[in-house]
Amino acid sequence: MTRAVYHAGERRVQHRAGTGEIAERMSRTLRPEIPAVARDFLARQTAVVIGAAGVDGRLWTTLLTGPPGFARATGTDAVDLDAVPAPGDPLSGAFETDAPAGAIAIDFAKRRRMRLNGRGTRAGRGLRLTLDQVYANCPKHIQSREPITGTPTPRGTPVRTTGLTDDQRALIGAADTFFVATADADGNADCSHRGGNPGFVRVVAPERLDWPDYTGNGMFNTLGNLEVNPAAGLLFVDWASGRCLQLTGRARTAWDADRFAGIPGAQRLVSFEVDAVVDTPGGSPMWTTPSYSPSNAEVRAVE
């Protein structure tokens, strides 16, 4: 069944932020079918990030990669990926039966991204996404980088913990990019990109992260989901080594300006409480040193 363009949580956040008219205009870009330009874009991509509930019922986010052509439109509303979450990944086994999934195909080098929301299921040795929402996002806050081709990064054994180590906190504090999976009250999943200069994500307590919410497209898919369902899954990548850090927990949005005073560009503040962690060496290819987005806001210490 095709979902409504916006659910109640998204409408409430749009109203509070004063972006209702913008969101209505943007809604015209959402479609259930894959346009020709999107087909061409997908065929060139080497990275797709997927958010969904794992077999443990928690939301997680994972990175799937492959050569150009590993992601391709196979129908008016279907995308096939020649990859699945690896053994030990918290989303391994999540798509043995049809399950809600949100995905984002991203071209870091050209600062382009496309959202793909619907349902995922195993298809042969890969994964099929059957879509009910397809739309492009703006290039803001995407750091330009490219995968380093050659010898693949050996994938290590995932390590699961219930909290963050000092080393993991340092990785998060130095991040310029992460991905966040959320879901609405009915479990429909979405996956979104967040970017900024290193330090824009702050580890403010042993198991709590804060990040600023900057001006975006006014649709508030992520914050709208959090309005009705606090579950969230985050993915951080150490692009220089290929290490992947997956977090699951709960997030909430702070609208009180006192909470984000002194953070340049912040319109709101999102806080995330960590429930569980999966740390995988070599979970991603290595990538080049980035060129930071000109849209990134200054990052400075907050007293």
Side-chain angles (χ1 to χ4, degrees):
M1 182 178 67
T2 301
R3 73 179 85 176
V5 174
Y6 298 122
H7 59 72
E10 291 167 324
R11 294 284 190 188
R12 286 202 296 271
V13 175
Q14 291 163 7
H15 177 76
R16 185 166 189 176
T19 65
E21 291 185 7
I22 297 172
E24 286 305 312
R25 290 198 299 271
M26 290 299 299
S27 70
R28 300 168 197 158
T29 68
L30 276 75
R31 59 186 72 197
E33 71 281 349
I34 306 168
V37 66
R39 291 168 177 269
D40 294 340
F41 174 78
L42 278 170
R44 296 191 299 270
Q45 300 319 304
T46 62
V48 175
V49 180
I50 294 183
V55 294
D56 60 2
R58 294 167 161 172
L59 278 180
W60 296 92
T61 309
T62 198
L63 173 67
L64 300 180
T65 61
F70 98 105
R72 59 197 178 278
T74 53
T76 59
D77 65 348
V79 170
D80 279 4
L81 304 174
D82 291 335
V84 294
D89 187 291
L91 289 183
S92 178
F95 302 109
E96 295 305 315
T97 58
D98 184 59
I104 183 166
I106 187 160
D107 185 336
F108 289 103
K110 295 184 178 179
R111 293 192 169 107
R112 294 180 62 194
R113 52 188 162 175
M114 184 173 66
R115 302 273 271 275
L116 307 162
N117 293 339
R119 303 184 71 85
T121 188
R122 282 294 296 264
R125 296 184 179 180
L127 181 66
R128 172 163 293 173
L129 301 175
T130 302
L131 307 173
D132 56 29
Q133 287 185 343
V134 180
Y135 57 108
N137 278 166
C138 73
K140 291 175 67 175
H141 309 302
I142 298 178
Q143 325 316 335
S144 178
R145 49 172 44 99
E146 297 186 49
I148 298 174
T149 58
T151 304
T153 308
R155 184 180 180 87
T157 302
V159 176
R160 292 174 175 259
T161 61
T162 57
L164 294 169
T165 65
D166 289 344
D167 181 52
Q168 290 165 346
R169 295 184 191 109
L171 187 158
I172 292 167
D176 59 48
T177 299
F178 73 96
F179 297 89
V180 53
T182 57
D184 65 17
D186 296 321
N188 295 307
D190 176 79
C191 188
S192 183
H193 161 277
R194 293 291 184 270
N197 286 332
F200 86 107
V201 183
R202 306 169 195 271
V203 182
V204 296
E207 317 305 341
R208 198 189 103 199
L209 320 177
D210 284 357
W211 65 84
D213 187 65
Y214 300 125
T215 300
N217 59 21
M219 298 165 76
F220 290 107
N221 307 115
T222 298
L223 298 196
N225 283 346
L226 294 179
E227 182 79 3
V228 296
N229 180 358
L234 311 185
L235 170 67
F236 292 87
V237 179
D238 182 341
W239 306 101
S241 72
R243 177 185 179 190
C244 287
L245 189 64
Q246 295 161 282
L247 315 177
T248 190
R250 293 147 291 118
R252 66 182 186 277
T253 307
W255 293 80
D256 184 348
D258 290 342
R259 289 286 309 278
F260 48 89
I263 302 178
Q267 303 297 305
R268 291 149 292 272
L269 190 73
V270 181
S271 295
F272 178 83
E273 298 288 343
V274 179
D275 288 337
V277 180
V278 176
D279 191 340
T280 306
S284 164
M286 293 183 291
W287 297 68
T288 58
T289 301
S291 172
Y292 293 117
S293 169
S295 300
N296 289 352
E298 175 190 0
V299 172
R300 58 174 181 248
V302 177
E303 300 296 333

